[in-house]
Amino acid sequence: MIPISQGRSRRATRALAVCALLVTGTALTGCSEDPNEGTNGVGALPAEEIQSRTQKAAASVDTVRLHGTVVTKGRTYRLDMRVKGEGGIGSVTTEGETFRLLRVGDELFLKAGAEFWGQDGEGEDGGASKADAAAAEKLAEKYVKVPQGDPSYKKFSGFTDKEVLLGGLLTLHGKLATDGHHEQAGVRTIRITGDDGSGGTLDVSLEGKPYPLRLVRAGGAGTLTFSAWGDDFPLKKPAKDETLDYGRQLPSS
């Protein structure tokens, strides 16, 4: 047996003493473990710097997928969108109706069910007329091109625009603080909060670039997860035989 030197023994004793000093009434799970070891290091930074770095990381790549809910003006929208600089594609669900959205450049296309397209016209009995019902069925089979002058264009196109979607989302409100190490979809994160959570919370990746991975918006305004940062995806206009011009104002939604 190899004897332990007095020097090594003293070092071990000091290490145990440090461990004992770090115990604060809770079980210590490995005194030598550093929660930021092997990470990108942002977990050791002040909350303000973490927020700044995650905003820069999000802006540094062109593509992202957003999934979750956004509450605005009393209405809840469930999003599943992939967006990049030149457009986006995905679905938006609100009040039981799901729209398929596709934007390529300035051209926005919407695909929705017959109920959406038939909600304007009413027959003598108060229901949709047969002509409107037939037109709605036809529209439901197509991507409908949304006129840029239509009030719905700005609202729907915003769901396909990375800068619009992320512009104000990644800024928490109130006094910022860190709220421990967590995990999102198997990825280690550091969580930051605004005003102890009332101003929102944001989970930031500790692996690779400090991308935002999960956002709980202030005031109960929804929860979003972010993934596929920087992963490109195909984006092209639908074929002509799959497209129709609506020709009048879209139903409000």
Side-chain angles (χ1 to χ4, degrees):
M1 179 181 294
I2 301 174
I4 300 176
S5 69
Q6 290 185 350
R8 290 178 62 189
S9 178
R10 285 195 295 270
R11 287 194 296 271
T13 300
R14 284 197 298 269
L16 289 173
V18 171
C19 281
L21 289 172
L22 292 176
V23 177
T24 58
T26 59
L28 188 64
T29 58
C31 178
S32 62
E33 293 182 3
D34 179 356
N36 295 306
E37 185 177 354
T39 72
N40 54 26
V42 298
L45 300 175
E48 293 81 1
E49 181 64 18
I50 297 173
Q51 178 174 260
S52 175
R53 292 201 182 191
T54 197
Q55 290 170 340
K56 291 176 181 177
S60 71
V61 294
D62 193 43
T63 61
V64 66
R65 180 184 179 186
L66 300 91
H67 184 272
T69 57
V70 171
V71 181
T72 179
K73 296 182 179 178
R75 176 169 288 191
T76 299
Y77 296 90
R78 179 168 294 278
L79 311 181
D80 188 358
M81 298 296 304
R82 299 195 70 176
V83 294
K84 58 183 176 180
E86 60 266 36
I89 187 169
S91 63
V92 178
T93 300
T94 183
E95 297 188 350
E97 293 183 339
T98 298
F99 321 122
R100 185 75 175 167
L101 293 177
L102 168 63
R103 182 176 64 84
V104 183
D106 292 330
E107 295 184 273
L108 177 66
F109 303 88
L110 183 150
K111 193 173 187 178
E115 289 185 3
F116 174 83
W117 298 114
Q119 63 183 270
D120 272 357
E122 292 188 354
E124 294 180 359
D125 59 355
S129 68
K130 289 183 178 180
D132 284 338
E137 288 294 337
K138 185 178 181 181
L139 287 166
E141 300 173 359
K142 303 290 185 179
Y143 274 100
V144 176
K145 187 174 181 181
V146 182
Q148 291 191 36
D150 190 283
S152 295
Y153 180 90
K154 182 177 181 179
K155 176 171 64 176
F156 288 138
S157 64
F159 290 126
T160 67
D161 191 311
K162 178 175 179 278
E163 289 190 9
V164 171
L165 281 173
L166 298 184
L169 287 180
L170 301 182
T171 299
L172 302 180
H173 302 285
K175 184 178 179 181
L176 299 184
T178 56
D179 187 29
H181 291 70
H182 299 268
E183 186 176 292
Q184 176 65 30
V187 178
R188 290 178 293 172
T189 66
I190 181 69
R191 181 172 297 169
I192 57 175
T193 65
D195 281 346
D196 295 323
S198 63
T201 69
L202 185 65
D203 278 43
V204 178
S205 176
L206 289 174
E207 302 176 18
K209 286 189 175 183
Y211 294 124
L213 297 184
R214 183 175 184 269
L215 169 72
V216 179
R217 301 181 70 203
T223 299
L224 287 168
T225 59
F226 308 92
S227 60
W229 287 100
D231 294 347
D232 200 11
F233 59 93
L235 191 63
K236 63 179 181 179
K237 292 188 292 185
K240 287 186 177 181
D241 60 355
E242 298 177 351
T243 308
L244 286 174
D245 282 323
Y246 191 58
R248 57 193 176 104
Q249 183 172 313
L250 270 68
S252 60
S253 178

